Amino acid sequence: MEREMEAMQLVEFRGWLLEDERERSTIEKYLRDVEMFFSWAGARKVTKELVARWKEYLQRTGHRPVTVNGKLSALNKFFSFLGWNECRVKYLKIQRRVFRNTEKELSREEYIRLVETARNLGRERLALLIETICATGIRVSEVRYITAEAVQTGRADIALKGKIRTILLPGKLCRKLKKYARKRKIASGEIFLTKSGKGLNRRQIWTEMKAICAKAGVKRSKVFPHNLRHLFARTFYQACRDVVKLADVLGHSSIETTRLYLVSTGTEHAKQLERLQLVS
C-alpha cells in the first residue's frame, strides 16, 4: 500500500506527542528524524520498501547502528500515530556492548577539575550545577525540579514520562544550594536561573560546560550533562552493588538500560583479560 505524506501530519504528530507528555527534547528529536525522512523521500509515495531503502541509505552514509535505530524508532512512532503500521520496518540487530569507549568516559578527577575550573573562573552557578547533576544523577531536563522548596526538604519530586520519582539531595549539596539561593534572593521555585529569571535550558547548560573544557584540561568529547549522570551511576554502583536500586534512582523502566551505564571501559576489559592468564 502506498501512502502520501503531508506537512500537516507533522503538526498533528507534534500535538499527539505533547498530549502524551513526551519530553520536549524527545519531541524535537522525533520531528527532526521524521523531517529527515521527508526530505530524503521527496515526492515519492511511502511504502515499506521505501523505508527499507532509507534504512540502507543511513547505513551506507556512515550513520552508526544505534543512530539508525534511533531514527527508525521516530519514524515507526510516526507511522503508528498515522495508522500506517504496514510501513514500519525492523531495527538493526546490535550485539550488546562488552566495553565502552574510554575516550568518552569522564573520570572523577576530570569531574573535579571541571568544578574547580568553573569556580576559579567565578562561574559559581555552573560549578554548583555540575555538582548537582553529578551528585544526584538527574537528567539535564530534570534540573528544573531542583527548587528552593526541594532544597529545604532535602528531596525533589521529579515527574517525567508519566512517572513520579523522589530523589534525595545530599546534605552538603543542600547547604551549598541554600547559600546560593540566599545570595541570589531565590525564595521559591527553580534554583538555576538565567539573568532574566528563566530556567536554564539544555542548550545553555551544554554550551556553558563546553566553554570551560580547555581551561579544565578535559576533552570536549567527554564534557556534556549526561556524562555526569553516567559518573554518578558508576560511583553509586561501586558503593552499593545494587543495580535494581540504581535503576530506581535513575528513573529507568528497564534494568537493561541501567546495565549500559555500568559497562566497563576498554582499558578495564583488557586488564580483566590479562588476569585470566590464558597466554603462556
Side-chain angles (χ1 to χ4, degrees):
M1 183 182 295
E2 294 184 343
R3 301 286 192 173
E4 189 170 348
M5 293 183 295
E6 298 175 0
M8 184 53 66
Q9 292 166 338
L10 270 178
V11 176
E12 294 170 347
F13 182 49
R14 180 186 182 87
W16 180 74
L17 290 170
L18 285 169
E19 288 179 6
D20 198 39
E21 298 183 353
R22 296 280 177 165
E23 277 290 296
R24 192 164 298 277
S25 59
T26 301
I27 294 174
E28 290 172 357
K29 181 193 179 302
Y30 280 174
L31 293 175
R32 279 198 309 271
D33 290 340
V34 175
E35 286 172 348
M36 180 181 181
F37 174 73
F38 265 48
S39 177
W40 176 85
R44 288 175 288 184
K45 303 289 185 180
V46 180
T47 63
K48 185 167 186 173
E49 291 70 27
L50 182 67
V51 180
R53 284 165 58 191
W54 186 59
K55 176 181 172 182
E56 293 171 358
Y57 163 79
L58 292 173
Q59 293 176 266
R60 194 170 61 250
T61 52
H63 289 79
R64 294 167 55 222
V66 67
T67 302
V68 174
N69 281 349
K71 294 184 182 302
L72 292 178
S73 176
L75 198 57
N76 282 342
K77 180 74 70 176
F78 178 63
F79 291 152
S80 293
F81 162 69
L82 294 175
W84 297 2
N85 292 316
E86 75 280 358
C87 294
R88 291 167 55 93
V89 296
K90 292 182 179 180
Y91 301 116
L92 297 175
K93 291 184 178 180
I94 304 174
Q95 182 178 339
R96 185 169 162 178
R97 289 183 300 169
V98 178
F99 55 87
R100 64 178 174 273
N101 188 351
T102 309
E103 288 298 306
K104 289 189 176 181
E105 180 176 295
L106 184 71
S107 69
R108 178 190 286 267
E109 292 71 24
E110 289 169 329
Y111 155 68
I112 292 171
R113 290 210 304 273
L114 286 171
V115 174
E116 291 178 345
T117 299
R119 195 166 285 136
N120 291 337
L121 290 172
R123 306 184 68 170
E124 183 183 7
R125 183 186 66 188
L126 178 59
L128 190 53
L129 177 59
I130 292 173
E131 283 188 307
T132 299
I133 295 175
C134 197
T136 59
I138 58 174
R139 302 174 176 91
V140 66
S141 60
E142 297 171 342
V143 168
R144 67 181 184 271
Y145 293 102
I146 305 301
T147 62
E149 292 82 358
V151 171
Q152 288 300 323
T153 60
R155 60 182 61 202
D157 293 322
I158 295 177
L160 191 67
K161 298 181 179 179
K163 297 180 296 183
I164 298 177
R165 80 180 193 280
T166 300
I167 63 164
L168 300 181
L169 307 178
K172 189 173 183 180
L173 177 64
C174 282
R175 291 191 290 274
K176 285 188 172 186
L177 288 169
K178 286 178 184 177
K179 182 179 179 181
Y180 176 83
R182 284 196 300 269
K183 187 176 179 181
R184 304 285 171 158
K185 297 181 179 179
I186 300 172
S188 64
E190 294 181 48
I191 293 286
F192 297 105
L193 303 170
T194 63
K195 290 181 180 179
S196 62
K198 295 181 180 179
L200 289 172
N201 61 40
R202 179 188 301 266
R203 182 172 297 178
Q204 289 169 321
I205 295 172
W206 185 290
T207 301
E208 288 192 22
M209 287 181 63
K210 292 288 186 183
I212 65 170
C213 292
K215 285 187 171 61
V218 183
K219 291 182 179 179
R220 287 176 60 86
S221 62
K222 295 184 176 186
V223 182
F224 50 93
H226 204 69
N227 235 8
L228 297 173
R229 183 167 154 88
H230 275 262
L231 177 56
F232 167 85
R234 296 196 308 272
T235 307
F236 186 97
Y237 183 73
Q238 288 168 4
C240 72
R241 295 289 171 179
D242 188 337
V243 70
V244 175
K245 186 174 183 179
L246 176 58
D248 289 338
V249 172
L250 294 175
H252 287 160
S253 299
S254 169
I255 290 180
E256 287 307 308
T257 302
T258 311
R259 291 187 193 282
L260 294 176
Y261 283 56
L262 305 177
V263 175
S264 62
T265 64
T267 301
E268 291 170 330
H269 185 66
K271 288 180 180 178
Q272 291 168 350
L273 293 178
E274 290 295 337
R275 284 197 290 270
L276 296 179
Q277 297 182 345
L278 293 175
V279 179
S280 59

